[in-house]
Amino acid sequence: MEKKEEWSVGGFQFGTEKDMELAKAEQGKIAFMEKRMRYDQPESVLYVYHKAIENGIFQTPVGLQYLQKLYDFLAQNGLGERAESIPLRQVYSYDPREEIKPRIARKRVQSSKYKELRSKLRKSVILNILLVLMVIAMFIITLTGKNPNILNYEKKLTDKYAGWEQELTEREAAVREKERALRIEGSGSP
């Protein structure tokens, strides 16, 4: 195991070997970017600066110091107002009674894709509820309607034919009654 004194990069002493390795990697990124940086075009420097912040390329003090150098350059060239502040991903004062609100982490978690999926889910749930309500309404209409349908056609047809049969029986009885009355009257006359 290495000594902590050896975990320094760019004038910064790191608490873990992993942090030191991360700082060394950032030094390599800085060297790569410096070879290709076009300081004669401040707009391109502004673009690189915004992309570095947006993608979270630099996290250690070594990288943040480089971002500060770019910010200072942009400010000297009249682009300081367009350059966003450098986000820090550490909390320097911690009070357990206060709720820490990490805005940067929240932005990453609630990305536009997450919001879009949440919106689609909400719309889908609402649409499903409407469809269930429509199906329930259709069943109620079907069960309470007077027209025969697949659920009550047998009962409706049986009731209809039973009504006809009763009506025919009543008419038949009335006709027989009339016939008897007419035969009686007809047999009594000369």
Side-chain angles (χ1 to χ4, degrees):
M1 184 170 162
E2 296 182 43
K3 295 180 182 178
K4 285 189 177 185
E5 292 84 35
E6 296 176 14
W7 293 346
S8 63
V9 177
F12 293 99
Q13 179 75 36
F14 292 94
T16 66
E17 186 177 4
K18 187 175 180 181
D19 288 345
M20 179 200 58
E21 294 296 327
L22 184 61
K24 282 184 180 180
E26 286 184 6
Q27 267 188 335
K29 291 175 190 176
I30 292 168
F32 178 81
M33 289 174 71
E34 279 295 307
K35 286 180 185 175
R36 288 160 179 75
M37 189 65 71
R38 303 281 313 255
Y39 285 106
D40 58 331
Q41 297 176 355
E43 287 289 330
S44 68
V45 174
L46 179 65
Y47 178 78
V48 169
Y49 175 80
H50 280 295
K51 281 296 181 182
I53 289 175
E54 182 181 312
N55 295 331
I57 293 175
F58 299 114
Q59 299 171 5
T60 68
V62 173
L64 296 177
Q65 188 176 33
Y66 179 69
L67 285 177
Q68 183 63 48
K69 174 187 168 188
L70 294 180
Y71 182 85
D72 292 342
F73 171 82
L74 293 169
Q76 290 172 358
N77 287 286
L79 297 173
E81 291 179 7
R82 292 175 51 197
E84 62 183 280
S85 298
I86 300 168
L88 299 177
R89 291 170 174 77
Q90 296 177 357
V91 177
Y92 293 102
S93 62
Y94 175 67
D95 185 356
R97 295 171 291 176
E98 292 182 18
E99 178 184 343
I100 298 174
K101 298 178 182 176
R103 287 179 275 154
I104 297 168
R106 194 170 291 141
K107 282 182 185 178
R108 285 186 179 170
V109 171
Q110 294 179 342
S111 67
S112 61
K113 287 182 181 180
Y114 175 76
K115 288 179 183 176
E116 184 179 319
L117 287 174
R118 194 170 181 188
S119 173
K120 285 182 181 180
L121 177 65
R122 191 175 293 137
K123 288 176 185 176
S124 174
V125 168
I126 290 170
L127 185 62
N128 284 332
I129 289 171
L130 286 174
L131 289 173
V132 167
L133 290 175
M134 288 174 63
V135 168
I136 291 170
M138 287 173 29
F139 273 110
I140 290 171
I141 290 170
T142 301
L143 292 173
T144 60
K146 294 184 180 184
N147 294 330
N149 56 52
I150 195 163
L151 297 175
N152 65 0
Y153 75 93
E154 187 177 5
K155 185 178 185 300
K156 295 281 185 183
L157 287 176
T158 305
D159 290 349
K160 188 175 184 179
Y161 289 126
W164 287 354
E165 186 178 355
Q166 184 177 358
E167 188 179 323
L168 283 174
T169 306
E170 289 173 3
R171 283 187 179 183
E172 208 175 277
V175 168
R176 286 190 185 142
E177 194 64 39
K178 287 282 188 183
E179 283 179 353
R180 282 191 211 133
L182 288 175
R183 283 190 187 154
I184 295 175
E185 287 178 16
S187 60
S189 12

